[in-house]
Amino acid sequence: MDVFGLVCALLLLSWTTAAHGKPTARKERVIHETNLNERTQDDNDSFQYDHEAFLGKEEARTFDQLTPEESKDRLGKIVERIDSDANGLITTDELKAWIKRVQKRYVYENVAKVWADYDLNKDDKISWEEYKQATYGYYLANPDEFDDTTDQFSFKKMLPRDERRFKTADLDRDQAADREEFTAFLHPEEFDHMKDIVVQETLEDIDKNGDGHVDEDEYVADMFAHEDGGPEPDWLRTERDQFSDFRDLNKDGKMDRDEIRQWIMPQNYDHAQAEARHLVYESDQDKDQMLTKEEILENWNMFVGSQATNYGEDLTRNHDEL
């Protein structure tokens, strides 16, 4: 995988939601935007970048049930919704606004899908005890069955970590989460009051020597494991340069919490705008910095694999659902 492919695969919104019966998964890191001019032609021929940037490979959904003709027809209807001023031209701002709308809908729909799994007493709230029972109940009742050291470590580590995150999301401190609070628990990157938790969990994941910092080797080890003892790939050497040049801001050889925050949640980075710029850049044939419906349909493979269509899922929805 080249550097850009790695960056795309690790990009933001990639935080995985908790699945029923499993702890909240370790999230991937958010990486700075790559210059558009550095993208390869292969990226324009496939929607995999846009798809994986938002969901990751494991969670990515396809739209293989649609023929190209069906995909283009349904994409055309979505384009008409994106064109908010109905002038026949899609601007970067219109695309950005649509992507934000789709992203917000994805987050809340995702919570709705798992709500019943955790709201065991059906009181429209999820208490910590309900979540703990649904997620860790079998482990707590049968600890001897988890002989594998890795499994034991995972559950023992994740339970207090989930409890800490749950308490942070529980703003009214009633030990139960309403839908907004549970959304903050599952998607902490979307809420300002959860940002410290995101930084803390990232530090705990990478800081192997427990000194409260992330040094260059720990930073690299989070991306690549030297299983065969061979030489580092070129992209990893580039990441070492990134660490020294851009991650370690005070040049003390390690990242502290503030530097980690700037790495995974850069203040001046808007991933919806970056995705919109990417789509316009790759599809704007006449280089007027706007897209016509024809230009979008000409490059339909990229759009049905991007946040603009929730990675193809919107193509299977009825028009009124969008």
Side-chain angles (χ1 to χ4, degrees):
M1 180 181 293
D2 60 17
V3 176
F4 181 70
L6 176 71
V7 169
C8 297
L10 297 180
L11 191 68
L12 147 305
L13 239 236
S14 58
W15 286 68
T16 308
T17 60
H20 180 44
K22 295 181 180 179
T24 50
R26 180 178 72 81
K27 315 304 186 184
E28 297 296 354
R29 321 298 168 209
V30 179
I31 309 298
H32 283 287
E33 176 187 8
T34 298
N35 190 305
L36 292 172
N37 293 326
E38 296 177 9
R39 302 187 175 197
T40 65
Q41 181 61 32
D42 288 343
D43 293 319
N44 193 43
D45 296 334
S46 169
F47 60 80
Q48 285 303 309
Y49 150 61
D50 303 285
H51 202 150
E52 293 172 12
F54 187 65
L55 297 176
K57 288 184 179 181
E58 297 301 323
E59 293 78 27
R61 298 185 178 184
T62 68
F63 58 102
D64 292 341
Q65 67 270 31
L66 297 178
T67 66
E69 291 73 20
E70 289 173 328
S71 294
K72 291 179 182 180
D73 179 66
R74 299 191 187 191
L75 177 59
K77 292 181 173 65
I78 292 175
V79 171
E80 294 171 4
R81 298 291 301 277
I82 298 174
D83 185 14
S84 58
D85 59 8
N87 69 347
L89 296 171
I90 305 297
T91 65
T92 300
D93 286 342
E94 286 175 320
L95 203 50
K96 172 185 171 181
W98 180 264
I99 289 169
K100 284 184 175 292
R101 172 185 172 181
V102 169
Q103 179 185 337
K104 184 176 181 179
R105 188 189 70 207
Y106 164 78
V107 167
Y108 284 95
E109 284 185 352
N110 184 268
V111 171
K113 288 177 182 178
V114 302
W115 182 266
D117 294 334
Y118 299 108
D119 183 14
L120 303 180
N121 64 5
K122 309 305 177 188
D123 65 347
D124 207 33
K125 281 193 170 185
I126 297 172
S127 69
W128 166 247
E129 289 301 319
E130 285 178 310
Y131 178 82
K132 183 173 70 172
Q133 181 61 34
T135 304
Y136 299 97
Y138 189 84
Y139 166 74
L140 293 172
N142 304 276
D144 294 338
E145 292 189 22
F146 293 82
D147 294 331
D148 185 276
T149 304
T150 302
D151 285 343
Q152 283 189 345
F153 177 78
S154 176
F155 278 99
K156 288 180 179 179
K157 176 183 178 182
M158 292 306 297
L159 196 157
R161 177 160 152 162
D162 272 357
E163 184 174 13
R164 180 184 62 194
R165 189 197 287 191
F166 192 96
K167 289 180 177 178
T168 304
D170 180 21
L171 290 177
D172 59 10
R173 301 295 186 265
D174 64 350
Q175 299 183 41
D178 59 23
R179 290 181 183 266
E180 190 72 5
E181 290 170 331
F182 198 63
T183 302
F185 171 68
L186 293 185
H187 296 270
E189 75 286 353
E190 299 292 336
F191 294 81
D192 286 340
H193 68 282
M194 300 294 291
K195 297 293 177 67
D196 286 343
I197 285 290
V198 176
V199 173
Q200 179 66 27
E201 291 180 0
T202 301
L203 176 60
E204 290 171 351
D205 287 338
I206 307 178
D207 177 22
K208 301 306 181 183
N209 63 13
D211 68 350
H213 296 82
V214 173
D215 60 35
E216 182 179 318
D217 288 337
E218 290 170 329
Y219 171 81
V220 168
D222 187 58
M223 302 178 183
F224 181 78
H226 290 80
E227 296 179 355
D228 58 2
E232 290 185 350
D234 291 341
W235 66 261
L236 202 60
R237 289 196 291 272
T238 300
E239 280 301 324
R240 287 190 180 278
D241 292 338
Q242 288 283 316
F243 181 90
S244 59
D245 294 342
F246 301 108
R247 309 290 183 235
D248 178 18
L249 300 177
N250 62 8
K251 308 306 177 186
D252 65 350
K254 53 192 176 183
M255 286 194 291
D256 58 25
R257 290 173 184 268
D258 290 338
E259 289 167 324
I260 291 172
R261 179 186 294 270
Q262 181 60 27
W263 168 41
I264 63 176
M265 295 179 290
Q267 293 181 351
N268 298 321
Y269 179 74
D270 185 330
H271 59 270
Q273 182 176 20
E275 172 73 4
R277 288 181 58 225
H278 164 58
L279 292 172
V280 171
Y281 179 87
E282 297 290 0
S283 306
D284 183 16
Q285 296 179 358
D286 59 9
K287 304 305 177 185
D288 64 352
Q289 299 184 22
M290 294 181 287
L291 298 179
T292 63
K293 183 176 181 179
E294 290 71 26
E295 285 175 321
I296 290 174
L297 294 181
E298 181 69 22
N299 203 16
W300 67 276
N301 258 345
M302 178 167 289
F303 280 85
V304 295
S306 79
Q307 292 179 49
T309 62
N310 202 16
Y311 297 86
E313 189 171 346
D314 283 346
L315 298 182
T316 62
R317 291 175 177 262
N318 293 326
H319 184 74
D320 292 340
E321 293 183 73
L322 297 173

